[in-house]
Amino acid sequence: MFFKNLIVGCIFLALAGNATSGDALPSGVLEGHLKILSSKPVIGDENAATVTAGNYADYPLLVLSQDKQKEIARITADTNENYRAVLPPGDYVLVAQRRARSHVSAKPRPFTVVSNQTVRVDMDIGTDHWRARSTQSFRPN
């Protein structure tokens, strides 16, 4: 009798789980193009790295919940600087991940994913490479 009830209970839970997952809305797609601005080296600093298509992966993008409290996905642009992610329907914010040793600036981009649709959100990132560094030192009088 115990095993019969156990088997019936397992079948019930399996069917209930399938019914619940079938009620979920179909996903949507986020796609876009990553553009890094100011790709010139720092003036006066021959060791500064320049931005090339080869290092676009160094600038990951984060999909955050609308309140920016929860990371939903981490996206890396491909070799053509394009990115794509499948997401559940909802309101999100796309941001550039901040790096400890670089000054990355990008305006957060709010967007909405709708079931069975593609939303396009392009991201422009500014870097600290545009800043001129002085080669002269300051000497007080």
Side-chain angles (χ1 to χ4, degrees):
M1 180 74 169
F2 173 75
F3 289 110
K4 181 180 177 183
N5 288 338
L6 182 63
I7 292 171
V8 170
C10 289
I11 291 172
F12 174 76
L13 289 175
L15 292 175
N18 285 339
T20 303
S21 64
D23 294 341
L25 293 174
S27 298
V29 176
L30 162 68
E31 67 178 26
H33 183 80
L34 176 61
K35 185 178 186 182
I36 299 178
L37 306 173
S38 302
S39 61
K40 295 179 182 176
V42 176
I43 299 169
D45 186 357
E46 61 282 347
N47 296 323
T50 58
V51 178
T52 65
N55 64 353
Y56 268 64
D58 294 339
Y59 298 90
L61 302 175
L62 303 177
V63 176
L64 303 177
S65 58
Q66 187 176 22
D67 62 4
K68 299 180 187 175
Q69 298 299 313
K70 182 179 178 189
E71 181 179 320
I72 307 300
R74 186 176 303 253
I75 306 170
T76 303
D78 63 19
T79 57
N80 295 318
E81 296 89 34
N82 296 314
Y83 50 88
R84 181 178 173 87
V86 176
L87 298 168
D91 296 321
Y92 302 99
V93 179
L94 183 66
V95 299
Q97 182 178 11
R98 304 269 183 227
R99 295 289 186 175
R101 296 193 68 217
S102 79
H103 299 352
V104 175
S105 64
K107 183 178 179 183
R109 303 290 311 270
F111 66 96
T112 300
V113 172
V114 179
S115 295
N116 296 320
Q117 293 186 16
T118 298
V119 61
R120 182 164 185 91
V121 181
D122 293 331
M123 178 65 81
D124 294 341
I125 295 178
T127 66
D128 61 354
H129 298 295
W130 62 270
R131 296 182 181 179
R133 187 176 291 173
S134 174
T135 57
Q136 298 177 354
S137 59
F138 176 74
R139 293 186 188 158
N141 291 337

